[in-house]
Amino acid sequence: MPFRILVLHDGKAGHASQALGLARLIARQHDQPTEIAELAMSPRLKLLNRLLRLWAQLPCRNLLRLLPLFYRQRFASANARHRRPDLIVSFGGNVLALNVSLSRLWQTPNAVIGNTYAIPSRLISANVTLQGNPATANSVASLIPLGKACPQHCQQASHILVPGDLPRWTLLIGGDGSGYQYAEEDWQHLASAAKALAQRHQIRWLVTTSRRTPKAAFQVLQDTLDASVCDLLIDGSKPSNTPIEALLGGGERIFCSEDSMSMLAEAIAMNRPVVSLQPAHSEPRSGHARALEYLQESGLVERQQLANWTPGELAPWQPQQDYLAHSLRVYRQLARLGAVTGTSTTRVPAGLTPSLGR
C-alpha cells in the first residue's frame, strides 16, 4: 500500500499551493510510494468557523462524525475517498476544523500549515510555519515558502512549448498586494529591462501575468517584448492552454515579481536561479518581509529593484542550501514528530465518506 496523504484546502490558489507543496515535499523524501489525494472544502456558513473549531475539539466521536456535514465540497481528486489517509495536510482556517475532526476520527496524524487558531497542540501532530515556534512541541519551521511545483512534472509540461534555438528564461508577474504598489514607471522599467536582458544574454522570454496584473501593464509588455525577444506572453486574466508548469519547466532562470509569495514558492521549488523584482513602492508585511530576507540570505533568491534592474552580469547562483536540502530538513522534522511514519490499510469508516462529498 502506498503512503497516502489527504490534502485539504478551501480552493484559494495560495492555500492549495502550500498544502500540495508540503504533500509533494513529503512524497519526494519518503522511502515508499506515496499517493496524494486532494479535497477542496468550504464551510457552508463562514460565520460558523469558530464554532466548528470548538466542535472539532469535543470528545464525542458521534458528534465529530457530523461535523463534515457543515462543509461544501468545491473540488475532489478522483482518489479522494479510496481509503483512510496516513497523513492529513491542510492550510487555512476554513478547513482547520475538518482536518482536526478527521484526524481524531481516523486516528491519523495531521499537519497544519500556518495559524492553528488556538486549537490545542495535542490535536495537531505538526504545525508548519515559516519561523517555527520553539515553545511548541509540535512546531516545524519550514524557513522557505512551500510551493506545489514539481521539477520533473514541470519539465515534462514544458514539452508542449514550441522548440526554440535559444535558451529561455521565465518571467512571472503579479500586481498590487502584500504591501507592494506598482506605478506606470515600474511596468516600463520591467518591460525595457527584460528586453535589454534578452538582447544582451541571447535568450528568449516565457512570460505570464496574473489576475492582479493591470491591463495597462500587460499592454506595455506586449508592446515592448516583441517576437524577437519573447516566445510566449500569457495574459493571466484570461484562460490559457499553456499551464504555468510549462513556463516553470522551460526557463533556465526564473524572474518573479516580489509581491506574490505563491509565485516565488513555485519558482524556488524548481531548484533553479531565481530573481525577485520589486517596484519603487515596496513595504512588504512582516511575515512576507522575513521570508524574503531569509531567501536572500540563504542565496535562494536574488532581490532586485525594478528601477535599478539592468542587463548587466548576473550573480552566480550559489545557495547555502538548495531547495532539496530544505525539503529534507522539513521532512526530518515531520518524521521526528511522527507525522510521516507508518502506513495505514484501514478503509474510511462507513457513513463518513458520503458526508465529505456534500
Side-chain angles (χ1 to χ4, degrees):
M1 281 287 186
F3 185 86
R4 188 165 189 268
I5 304 173
L6 176 62
V7 174
L8 297 174
H9 58 82
D10 57 8
K12 294 180 180 178
H15 294 181
S17 180
Q18 291 210 46
L20 286 166
L22 181 59
R24 291 174 180 173
L25 179 154
I26 294 168
R28 284 193 292 268
Q29 297 292 342
H30 213 45
D31 59 359
Q32 66 185 91
T34 303
E35 176 185 85
I36 297 173
E38 184 181 357
L39 193 58
M41 306 286 283
S42 60
R44 294 184 181 277
L45 183 61
K46 193 169 182 178
L47 291 175
L48 292 176
N49 257 333
R50 181 175 295 182
L51 176 61
L52 291 173
R53 289 194 284 265
L54 291 172
W55 187 343
Q57 301 174 48
L58 297 175
C60 180
R61 290 178 62 84
N62 288 333
L63 287 176
L64 290 178
R65 289 179 184 276
L66 294 175
L67 187 144
L69 293 171
F70 288 82
Y71 284 82
R72 179 182 295 108
Q73 179 179 297
R74 303 183 63 182
F75 166 81
S77 58
N79 61 348
R81 300 191 188 93
H82 284 181
R83 64 178 178 86
R84 188 183 79 176
D86 303 296
L87 174 67
I88 301 171
V89 170
S90 75
F91 185 98
N94 285 333
V95 292
L96 179 56
L98 188 60
N99 178 330
V100 172
S101 62
L102 294 180
S103 172
R104 297 182 65 202
L105 277 170
W106 297 338
Q107 298 183 345
T108 296
N110 62 342
V112 173
I113 304 169
N115 196 342
T116 60
Y117 294 89
I119 286 182
S121 59
R122 60 183 171 80
L123 300 180
I124 297 173
S125 306
N127 179 208
V128 183
T129 58
L130 276 171
Q131 305 299 321
N133 181 2
T136 306
N138 67 347
S139 176
V140 172
S142 68
L143 300 181
I144 56 172
L146 302 169
K148 65 180 181 179
C150 170
Q152 292 78 14
H153 174 72
C154 292
Q155 197 66 45
Q156 292 173 354
S158 70
H159 293 164
I160 69 172
L161 302 174
V162 176
D165 55 356
L166 290 175
R168 287 163 165 164
W169 293 352
T170 298
L171 177 58
L172 311 176
I173 303 169
D176 289 355
S178 301
Y180 295 83
Q181 291 183 349
Y182 292 83
E184 183 179 349
E185 293 79 7
D186 294 310
W187 300 122
Q188 294 287 351
H189 281 306
L190 172 63
S192 59
K195 183 171 185 176
L197 275 166
Q199 292 171 335
R200 168 157 185 171
H201 296 280
Q202 291 298 293
I203 61 93
R204 294 173 70 84
W205 285 107
L206 304 171
V207 185
T208 183
T209 61
S210 73
R211 286 173 293 181
R212 290 187 293 109
T213 310
K215 291 182 179 180
F218 181 82
Q219 189 63 53
V220 169
L221 293 164
Q222 194 172 45
D223 293 342
T224 307
L225 301 180
D226 56 32
S228 67
V229 297
C230 186
D231 279 346
L232 186 64
L233 174 58
I234 297 174
D235 184 349
S237 67
K238 300 176 181 177
S240 172
N241 293 326
T242 306
I244 190 172
E245 288 83 0
L247 276 68
L248 290 169
E252 295 181 2
R253 288 177 176 268
I254 303 174
F255 297 75
C256 179
S257 65
E258 204 173 271
D259 54 273
S260 175
M261 191 57 68
S262 295
M263 283 184 175
L264 276 170
E266 304 298 302
I268 65 171
M270 294 301 297
N271 218 33
R272 296 176 183 177
V274 176
V275 176
S276 70
L277 305 169
Q278 53 188 271
H281 185 91
S282 302
E283 296 179 356
R285 298 166 185 165
S286 58
H288 197 101
R290 286 196 299 270
L292 285 164
E293 288 168 5
Y294 178 80
L295 291 174
Q296 182 180 35
E297 291 169 1
S298 63
L300 285 169
V301 168
E302 176 190 347
R303 301 177 70 186
Q304 289 279 0
Q305 292 185 344
L306 284 172
N308 301 326
W309 193 33
T310 63
E313 293 302 319
L314 296 168
W317 189 60
Q318 297 175 335
Q320 297 173 11
Q321 285 189 319
D322 65 12
Y323 188 83
L324 295 178
H326 280 86
S327 297
L328 179 58
R329 179 183 49 76
V330 172
Y331 180 85
R332 286 174 172 168
Q333 292 180 79
L334 294 168
R336 175 178 56 80
L337 293 171
V340 291
T341 58
T343 300
S344 171
T345 57
T346 307
R347 299 187 67 83
V348 175
L352 182 59
T353 298
S355 64
L356 280 174
R358 294 180 184 176

